[in-house]
Structure formats: structure tokens, C-alpha cells
Amino acid sequence: MSGSNGKKGSSSGVMEWIGSACRFAADRNDFRRNLLVNLGLFAAGVWVARNLSDFDLMSPQPVT
Amino acid sequence: MGSVLAASSPNPPPPTSGAAVAPGLTVPPGFGMPSVSSVIPEAASGMQQQEEENPLPNPGAFDECHRKCKEVFPMQMEGVRLVVNKGLSNHFQVNHTVLLSTMGDSTYRFGATYVGKKQTGPAEFFPVMVGDMDNSGSLNAQIIHQVSSGVRSKLAFQTQQNKFVNWQGDAEIRGEDFTATVTLGNPDVLVGSGIVVTHYLQSITPSLALGGELVYHRRPGEEGSVMSLVGRYSGSNFIATLTLGSAGVHASYYHRANDQLQLGVEYEASTRMQDTSVSLGYQLDVPKANLLFKGSVDSNWVVGATLEKKLLPLPLSLVLCTFLNHRKNKFQCGFGVTIG
């Protein structure tokens, strides 16, 4: 009995944490949320610029 | 047209096809890559002697720290714009700009640029005088002069019809490994108001430059100051810049992938406006097709692009611009032709 109640308690705690995280990520009016999300987007943009931009536009097309 | 360095007017003119009459290179405004010190053959071994022979480069102007990244992004344009550039001599150029707008007033602007005979570098001539006036009589004017080998001064004026709204003067001192600038804005001795802005940028290593900005403003019954710090790290093909201040944070990353592709990522956070944004932009340059394409997307769901095509052999340049704001459901389109 106590074990199942403990499991239910931990799963509800995880669900609550996930719910609060989703509400935090979706709240556009929260300045702190905007700060963190845009910081992550900036880091992702820098990663894309450094790693996914090394293609040569003037290279000849491959012969099929 | 003679060489014009840093002759950026308050309203920068649209990019031209560059049919120059005179010899000399036209350096794009804000081209602020740190100069590479020349390699001097070593006379003797020793790290100290090597350090003395390879001094730190000048870090460039403070305002140019983020400019390389900003130049990658497309410039928003609305309506129809026609620009005609005409070089009258090696030192004098005039331009006519007609702007037909759907959102604001349509205007006509007449501009003139004079470049002097004093040559200080391979593509630098002084003094430089740039001015333009619109059909309502509003004037923008700048005078840039190299006072000595390390001191450059600038005067700028802006009027709204017959009333002066902005007048400022600044002096820039370029040392071997530092740049210092003092700007005095809208000084009014009678009222006792004005703005003083000081910049300092120091090369710490050949790749790292650190600096700061101090803004002091004064009005009758009110005065205040704002300080911010800046750091710039330059690599072989990238520049990362960070500005921290009480007003907010500004970070930019510029990456040159190859000769055709350049990318820029910008992050801005304003504590005063309680707002943040991040923008990603790229620039595709295909000189064989005389084509320049710039695109951008940002966190405010604004997507924009600019296409510039030179219609050689005619001295014509065509510019198409489109911006879409998905959040506000707004669309903006611009079309421009530059002759000369």
C-alpha cells in the first residue's frame, strides 16, 4: 500500500514538474523565460553557423 | 569618386553599383577587422624580442564591434526607391533619391559627397563631407577630417526642417593597440544640457579586445550616467562580441563559412524594456551572377529577405526586399533601383 502510494506520489511529482516546465516554456510574458529560451536559441544558432555552413555553393553538380 | 572611409551618413545610402569615376577603392563603411601586423624576420632568438617585433594590432573603432554581424542582415525597405548617383569629378559626387511610400510620406532627397585631396592611406582621403536634404528642408550633414596621424574628428548635424535636432562632434584617437573616442552631443551652454560619450577599446591579445563605454547626460535638474563593457574575440573566420551594461546585453557572432556564405547570430536583451530577441541572418554572395542575397529570421517570428542584382553591363542595380511578421500578420515589400 505504501509502496504504490509512494510510486503514485513520485509520478505525480514528475508530472507536476513537467507541467510547470511546459507552462514556463509557453509563457511569453515571462521575461526570465524569454531570456533563457532566446539564450538557448542563440547557442543553437552559433552551433549551426559553426558546424552546418561548410558547403560550397560553386561546386559542380554531381553526375548521376 | 575618391575614397570614402567611414563616411556613413545618419541615413546610409542604398548600396550602389559603384561606377566610380576616379581611381581608389571605396571601403564599405564599418569594415572593422583588426589589422594584421606584418611578419618581421627575427634578428635573434628570444620571446621578448619576438613580442616587441609583433606588436598588438589596433582593435578598430568601438562602434564597429557588432557591425560585421549586423551587415549580414537584410535592411528593411518599404515602397519604391529610385537612386541616381552621378560623379562630377574625382572628388565630388551627387545623388538623387526618390522614395514612394505607402505607409508614410513620399520624399525626394538630394545628397552630395566631397572627398578631399589629403591622402592618409591607400584608400583614405580627407576631409570627407557628406550631406543630404529632403524636400521639406531637413538636412543631414557630416564632416570627417584626419587632424593628425592618430586623431580623427567628426562633426554631424541634423535638422528637422529649420530646427536643429542633433548636433555633435567627436574625436577619435587611434594608438598602436587602442582606440579612444570622445563624443559631445547636443551641447547647450545656455540651458546647461548635453551628452558626453566616451569609448575605449584595448587589444589584449592579437585576437582579444576589451573595452568600455561611458555615457553621461545632463539636463536642468537631472543628470545620469550609463556604463557598459564590451569584449570581442576574433578568430580566423569568426568574430564573437559581447556587450554588457546596465541597459542590457548584446551578443553577436559572425561566421565566414566561405567566400560565398556569411552567417550572423545576434542576441539582445533589454532590462529596461523587459524584452529579449535572437536573430539569425545569412548572406549569399555570388559574384559570377552579380547577385547578393540576404535572409533573416528572428524570435519575434519575423522573416525577411533582400535580393540585390547588378544588371551589367548597364550601370543598374536592382533591390527587392520582403519582410513578413507572422505574429502580427503583417507583410512589407520594397523595390529599389540604383543607377550609377
mmCIF file of all heavy atoms in Angstrom, chain B residues 22-58:
data_model
loop_
_atom_site.group_PDB
_atom_site.id
_atom_site.type_symbol
_atom_site.label_atom_id
_atom_site.label_comp_id
_atom_site.label_asym_id
_atom_site.label_seq_id
_atom_site.Cartn_x
_atom_site.Cartn_y
_atom_site.Cartn_z
ATOM 1 N N ALA B 22 36.703 58.061 -60.403
ATOM 2 C CA ALA B 22 38.104 58.274 -60.041
ATOM 3 C C ALA B 22 38.719 56.982 -59.568
ATOM 4 O O ALA B 22 38.034 56.046 -59.176
ATOM 5 C CB ALA B 22 38.189 59.326 -58.938
ATOM 6 N N PRO B 23 40.033 56.917 -59.591
ATOM 7 C CA PRO B 23 40.690 55.741 -59.020
ATOM 8 C C PRO B 23 40.566 55.724 -57.513
ATOM 9 O O PRO B 23 40.204 56.710 -56.894
ATOM 10 C CB PRO B 23 42.156 55.928 -59.453
ATOM 11 C CG PRO B 23 42.302 57.403 -59.660
ATOM 12 C CD PRO B 23 40.977 57.877 -60.163
ATOM 13 N N GLY B 24 40.960 54.597 -56.923
ATOM 14 C CA GLY B 24 40.849 54.475 -55.471
ATOM 15 C C GLY B 24 39.705 53.561 -55.105
ATOM 16 O O GLY B 24 38.706 53.470 -55.789
ATOM 17 N N LEU B 25 39.896 52.857 -54.001
ATOM 18 C CA LEU B 25 38.892 51.904 -53.568
ATOM 19 C C LEU B 25 37.889 52.566 -52.650
ATOM 20 O O LEU B 25 38.236 53.427 -51.870
ATOM 21 C CB LEU B 25 39.563 50.749 -52.829
ATOM 22 C CG LEU B 25 40.544 49.919 -53.656
ATOM 23 C CD1 LEU B 25 41.274 48.937 -52.777
ATOM 24 C CD2 LEU B 25 39.833 49.203 -54.776
ATOM 25 N N THR B 26 36.651 52.161 -52.739
ATOM 26 C CA THR B 26 35.627 52.616 -51.815
ATOM 27 C C THR B 26 35.469 51.551 -50.749
ATOM 28 O O THR B 26 34.979 50.465 -51.022
ATOM 29 C CB THR B 26 34.301 52.841 -52.540
ATOM 30 O OG1 THR B 26 34.499 53.797 -53.570
ATOM 31 C CG2 THR B 26 33.253 53.355 -51.568
ATOM 32 N N VAL B 27 35.914 51.852 -49.547
ATOM 33 C CA VAL B 27 35.870 50.869 -48.473
ATOM 34 C C VAL B 27 34.468 50.858 -47.900
ATOM 35 O O VAL B 27 33.911 51.905 -47.603
ATOM 36 C CB VAL B 27 36.878 51.229 -47.374
ATOM 37 C CG1 VAL B 27 36.839 50.197 -46.276
ATOM 38 C CG2 VAL B 27 38.270 51.318 -47.967
ATOM 39 N N PRO B 28 33.849 49.689 -47.757
ATOM 40 C CA PRO B 28 32.499 49.651 -47.161
ATOM 41 C C PRO B 28 32.536 50.214 -45.760
ATOM 42 O O PRO B 28 33.484 49.974 -45.013
ATOM 43 C CB PRO B 28 32.162 48.156 -47.143
ATOM 44 C CG PRO B 28 33.082 47.541 -48.121
ATOM 45 C CD PRO B 28 34.321 48.367 -48.150
ATOM 46 N N PRO B 29 31.534 51.027 -45.375
ATOM 47 C CA PRO B 29 31.560 51.623 -44.032
ATOM 48 C C PRO B 29 31.514 50.540 -42.979
ATOM 49 O O PRO B 29 30.778 49.569 -43.091
ATOM 50 C CB PRO B 29 30.300 52.484 -44.000
ATOM 51 C CG PRO B 29 29.430 51.943 -45.071
ATOM 52 C CD PRO B 29 30.341 51.383 -46.118
ATOM 53 N N GLY B 30 32.325 50.758 -41.938
ATOM 54 C CA GLY B 30 32.302 49.836 -40.827
ATOM 55 C C GLY B 30 33.106 48.585 -41.060
ATOM 56 O O GLY B 30 32.929 47.595 -40.365
ATOM 57 N N PHE B 31 33.996 48.604 -42.016
ATOM 58 C CA PHE B 31 34.831 47.427 -42.242
ATOM 59 C C PHE B 31 35.901 47.456 -41.188
ATOM 60 O O PHE B 31 36.952 48.035 -41.367
ATOM 61 C CB PHE B 31 35.434 47.463 -43.645
ATOM 62 C CG PHE B 31 36.111 46.188 -44.016
ATOM 63 C CD1 PHE B 31 35.367 45.086 -44.375
ATOM 64 C CD2 PHE B 31 37.488 46.085 -44.017
ATOM 65 C CE1 PHE B 31 35.993 43.901 -44.730
ATOM 66 C CE2 PHE B 31 38.119 44.896 -44.371
ATOM 67 C CZ PHE B 31 37.372 43.810 -44.735
ATOM 68 N N GLY B 32 35.636 46.810 -40.066
ATOM 69 C CA GLY B 32 36.480 46.994 -38.898
ATOM 70 C C GLY B 32 37.254 45.788 -38.473
ATOM 71 O O GLY B 32 37.453 45.549 -37.294
ATOM 72 N N MET B 33 37.703 44.948 -39.403
ATOM 73 C CA MET B 33 38.524 43.813 -38.992
ATOM 74 C C MET B 33 39.852 44.321 -38.462
ATOM 75 O O MET B 33 40.442 45.224 -39.020
ATOM 76 C CB MET B 33 38.770 42.874 -40.173
ATOM 77 C CG MET B 33 37.546 42.087 -40.571
ATOM 78 S SD MET B 33 37.068 40.897 -39.329
ATOM 79 C CE MET B 33 38.342 39.685 -39.519
ATOM 80 N N PRO B 34 40.339 43.752 -37.360
ATOM 81 C CA PRO B 34 41.635 44.204 -36.839
ATOM 82 C C PRO B 34 42.727 43.971 -37.867
ATOM 83 O O PRO B 34 42.762 42.951 -38.536
ATOM 84 C CB PRO B 34 41.848 43.317 -35.605
ATOM 85 C CG PRO B 34 40.521 42.767 -35.285
ATOM 86 C CD PRO B 34 39.754 42.691 -36.568
ATOM 87 N N SER B 35 43.619 44.958 -38.002
ATOM 88 C CA SER B 35 44.668 44.833 -38.994
ATOM 89 C C SER B 35 45.673 43.790 -38.523
ATOM 90 O O SER B 35 45.961 43.645 -37.335
ATOM 91 C CB SER B 35 45.349 46.184 -39.187
ATOM 92 O OG SER B 35 45.868 46.630 -37.958
ATOM 93 N N VAL B 36 46.212 43.039 -39.461
ATOM 94 C CA VAL B 36 47.188 42.002 -39.140
ATOM 95 C C VAL B 36 48.562 42.629 -39.162
ATOM 96 O O VAL B 36 48.940 43.273 -40.132
ATOM 97 C CB VAL B 36 47.100 40.850 -40.147
ATOM 98 C CG1 VAL B 36 48.150 39.799 -39.847
ATOM 99 C CG2 VAL B 36 45.712 40.244 -40.129
ATOM 100 N N SER B 37 49.330 42.446 -38.099
ATOM 101 C CA SER B 37 50.667 43.036 -38.055
ATOM 102 C C SER B 37 51.570 42.273 -39.002
ATOM 103 O O SER B 37 51.469 41.055 -39.162
ATOM 104 C CB SER B 37 51.214 42.965 -36.639
ATOM 105 O OG SER B 37 51.243 41.634 -36.192
ATOM 106 N N SER B 38 52.475 43.002 -39.666
ATOM 107 C CA SER B 38 53.340 42.380 -40.660
ATOM 108 C C SER B 38 54.361 41.501 -39.970
ATOM 109 O O SER B 38 54.777 41.743 -38.840
ATOM 110 C CB SER B 38 54.038 43.472 -41.476
ATOM 111 O OG SER B 38 54.765 44.314 -40.613
ATOM 112 N N VAL B 39 54.770 40.438 -40.660
ATOM 113 C CA VAL B 39 55.744 39.499 -40.103
ATOM 114 C C VAL B 39 57.131 40.064 -40.323
ATOM 115 O O VAL B 39 57.533 40.356 -41.452
ATOM 116 C CB VAL B 39 55.612 38.127 -40.780
ATOM 117 C CG1 VAL B 39 56.679 37.186 -40.270
ATOM 118 C CG2 VAL B 39 54.225 37.553 -40.537
ATOM 119 N N ILE B 40 57.884 40.254 -39.243
ATOM 120 C CA ILE B 40 59.236 40.816 -39.331
ATOM 121 C C ILE B 40 60.218 39.681 -39.063
ATOM 122 O O ILE B 40 60.080 38.951 -38.086
ATOM 123 C CB ILE B 40 59.432 41.933 -38.280
ATOM 124 C CG1 ILE B 40 58.363 43.008 -38.506
ATOM 125 C CG2 ILE B 40 60.812 42.532 -38.377
ATOM 126 C CD1 ILE B 40 58.299 44.031 -37.413
ATOM 127 N N PRO B 41 61.224 39.501 -39.930
ATOM 128 C CA PRO B 41 62.188 38.414 -39.693
ATOM 129 C C PRO B 41 62.963 38.639 -38.411
ATOM 130 O O PRO B 41 63.367 39.759 -38.090
ATOM 131 C CB PRO B 41 63.118 38.468 -40.915
ATOM 132 C CG PRO B 41 62.837 39.753 -41.579
ATOM 133 C CD PRO B 41 61.495 40.224 -41.181
ATOM 134 N N GLU B 42 63.157 37.553 -37.646
ATOM 135 C CA GLU B 42 63.806 37.681 -36.350
ATOM 136 C C GLU B 42 65.307 37.846 -36.527
ATOM 137 O O GLU B 42 65.953 37.096 -37.235
ATOM 138 C CB GLU B 42 63.528 36.435 -35.513
ATOM 139 C CG GLU B 42 62.050 36.287 -35.171
ATOM 140 C CD GLU B 42 61.829 35.036 -34.342
ATOM 141 O OE1 GLU B 42 62.820 34.349 -34.030
ATOM 142 O OE2 GLU B 42 60.676 34.743 -34.045
ATOM 143 N N ALA B 43 65.838 38.824 -35.817
ATOM 144 C CA ALA B 43 67.293 39.015 -35.837
ATOM 145 C C ALA B 43 67.952 38.120 -34.822
ATOM 146 O O ALA B 43 69.075 37.697 -34.975
ATOM 147 C CB ALA B 43 67.623 40.481 -35.562
ATOM 148 N N ALA B 44 67.285 37.842 -33.714
ATOM 149 C CA ALA B 44 67.849 36.985 -32.666
ATOM 150 C C ALA B 44 66.737 36.228 -31.997
ATOM 151 O O ALA B 44 65.566 36.575 -32.119
ATOM 152 C CB ALA B 44 68.611 37.827 -31.642
ATOM 153 N N SER B 45 67.079 35.156 -31.291
ATOM 154 C CA SER B 45 66.042 34.379 -30.628
ATOM 155 C C SER B 45 65.617 35.105 -29.373
ATOM 156 O O SER B 45 66.244 36.022 -28.885
ATOM 157 C CB SER B 45 66.589 32.994 -30.293
ATOM 158 O OG SER B 45 67.688 33.123 -29.419
ATOM 159 N N GLY B 46 64.507 34.647 -28.785
ATOM 160 C CA GLY B 46 64.013 35.276 -27.560
ATOM 161 C C GLY B 46 62.574 35.695 -27.726
ATOM 162 O O GLY B 46 62.209 36.322 -28.700
ATOM 163 N N MET B 47 61.744 35.349 -26.750
ATOM 164 C CA MET B 47 60.323 35.660 -26.828
ATOM 165 C C MET B 47 60.089 37.152 -26.697
ATOM 166 O O MET B 47 59.224 37.715 -27.319
ATOM 167 C CB MET B 47 59.570 34.906 -25.718
ATOM 168 C CG MET B 47 59.479 33.415 -25.930
ATOM 169 S SD MET B 47 58.540 33.037 -27.413
ATOM 170 C CE MET B 47 56.923 33.579 -26.940
ATOM 171 N N GLN B 48 60.885 37.830 -25.839
ATOM 172 C CA GLN B 48 60.680 39.258 -25.644
ATOM 173 C C GLN B 48 60.926 40.021 -26.929
ATOM 174 O O GLN B 48 60.169 40.914 -27.291
ATOM 175 C CB GLN B 48 61.610 39.770 -24.544
ATOM 176 C CG GLN B 48 61.202 39.330 -23.155
ATOM 177 C CD GLN B 48 62.090 39.937 -22.087
ATOM 178 O OE1 GLN B 48 63.113 40.523 -22.401
ATOM 179 N NE2 GLN B 48 61.717 39.755 -20.840
ATOM 180 N N GLN B 49 61.987 39.639 -27.637
ATOM 181 C CA GLN B 49 62.266 40.331 -28.895
ATOM 182 C C GLN B 49 61.161 40.038 -29.914
ATOM 183 O O GLN B 49 60.767 40.903 -30.667
ATOM 184 C CB GLN B 49 63.616 39.878 -29.438
ATOM 185 C CG GLN B 49 64.124 40.747 -30.582
ATOM 186 C CD GLN B 49 65.561 40.448 -30.925
ATOM 187 O OE1 GLN B 49 66.148 39.526 -30.386
ATOM 188 N NE2 GLN B 49 66.129 41.213 -31.842
ATOM 189 N N GLN B 50 60.626 38.801 -29.865
ATOM 190 C CA GLN B 50 59.542 38.463 -30.778
ATOM 191 C C GLN B 50 58.289 39.262 -30.468
ATOM 192 O O GLN B 50 57.597 39.717 -31.352
ATOM 193 C CB GLN B 50 59.242 36.956 -30.658
ATOM 194 C CG GLN B 50 58.395 36.429 -31.798
ATOM 195 C CD GLN B 50 58.287 34.928 -31.761
ATOM 196 O OE1 GLN B 50 58.664 34.306 -30.775
ATOM 197 N NE2 GLN B 50 57.772 34.334 -32.815
ATOM 198 N N GLU B 51 58.053 39.469 -29.152
ATOM 199 C CA GLU B 51 56.890 40.246 -28.768
ATOM 200 C C GLU B 51 57.036 41.701 -29.188
ATOM 201 O O GLU B 51 56.098 42.347 -29.605
ATOM 202 C CB GLU B 51 56.680 40.143 -27.260
ATOM 203 C CG GLU B 51 56.082 38.803 -26.835
ATOM 204 C CD GLU B 51 55.924 38.718 -25.328
ATOM 205 O OE1 GLU B 51 56.273 39.687 -24.651
ATOM 206 O OE2 GLU B 51 55.463 37.678 -24.850
ATOM 207 N N GLU B 52 58.273 42.231 -29.092
ATOM 208 C CA GLU B 52 58.494 43.612 -29.484
ATOM 209 C C GLU B 52 58.323 43.780 -30.986
ATOM 210 O O GLU B 52 57.875 44.806 -31.456
ATOM 211 C CB GLU B 52 59.895 44.060 -29.048
ATOM 212 C CG GLU B 52 60.049 44.199 -27.541
ATOM 213 C CD GLU B 52 61.484 44.482 -27.141
ATOM 214 O OE1 GLU B 52 62.323 44.648 -28.052
ATOM 215 O OE2 GLU B 52 61.783 44.512 -25.955
ATOM 216 N N GLU B 53 58.690 42.773 -31.762
ATOM 217 C CA GLU B 53 58.615 42.895 -33.204
ATOM 218 C C GLU B 53 57.195 42.643 -33.709
ATOM 219 O O GLU B 53 56.891 42.981 -34.826
ATOM 220 C CB GLU B 53 59.580 41.905 -33.861
ATOM 221 C CG GLU B 53 61.047 42.246 -33.610
ATOM 222 C CD GLU B 53 61.965 41.164 -34.143
ATOM 223 O OE1 GLU B 53 61.470 40.077 -34.466
ATOM 224 O OE2 GLU B 53 63.170 41.412 -34.223
ATOM 225 N N ASN B 54 56.336 41.974 -32.961
ATOM 226 C CA ASN B 54 54.965 41.720 -33.348
ATOM 227 C C ASN B 54 54.038 42.398 -32.355
ATOM 228 O O ASN B 54 53.516 41.774 -31.455
ATOM 229 C CB ASN B 54 54.695 40.209 -33.380
ATOM 230 C CG ASN B 54 55.496 39.532 -34.463
ATOM 231 O OD1 ASN B 54 55.658 40.071 -35.544
ATOM 232 N ND2 ASN B 54 56.012 38.361 -34.148
ATOM 233 N N PRO B 55 53.846 43.694 -32.507
ATOM 234 C CA PRO B 55 53.008 44.396 -31.534
ATOM 235 C C PRO B 55 51.543 44.036 -31.733
ATOM 236 O O PRO B 55 51.135 43.481 -32.749
ATOM 237 C CB PRO B 55 53.262 45.870 -31.861
ATOM 238 C CG PRO B 55 53.630 45.872 -33.305
ATOM 239 C CD PRO B 55 54.330 44.581 -33.553
ATOM 240 N N LEU B 56 50.741 44.406 -30.733
ATOM 241 C CA LEU B 56 49.313 44.152 -30.808
ATOM 242 C C LEU B 56 48.694 45.072 -31.859
ATOM 243 O O LEU B 56 49.078 46.232 -31.987
ATOM 244 C CB LEU B 56 48.666 44.417 -29.443
ATOM 245 C CG LEU B 56 49.088 43.482 -28.311
ATOM 246 C CD1 LEU B 56 48.529 43.963 -26.990
ATOM 247 C CD2 LEU B 56 48.649 42.058 -28.604
ATOM 248 N N PRO B 57 47.714 44.556 -32.604
ATOM 249 C CA PRO B 57 47.103 45.401 -33.644
ATOM 250 C C PRO B 57 46.113 46.385 -33.028
ATOM 251 O O PRO B 57 45.625 46.192 -31.920
ATOM 252 C CB PRO B 57 46.396 44.369 -34.530
ATOM 253 C CG PRO B 57 46.041 43.273 -33.589
ATOM 254 C CD PRO B 57 47.136 43.213 -32.561
ATOM 255 N N ASN B 58 45.822 47.415 -33.784
ATOM 256 C CA ASN B 58 44.792 48.351 -33.360
ATOM 257 C C ASN B 58 43.432 47.646 -33.415
ATOM 258 O O ASN B 58 43.113 47.003 -34.408
ATOM 259 C CB ASN B 58 44.789 49.580 -34.269
ATOM 260 C CG ASN B 58 43.760 50.602 -33.828
ATOM 261 O OD1 ASN B 58 42.606 50.528 -34.238
ATOM 262 N ND2 ASN B 58 44.168 51.547 -33.006
#
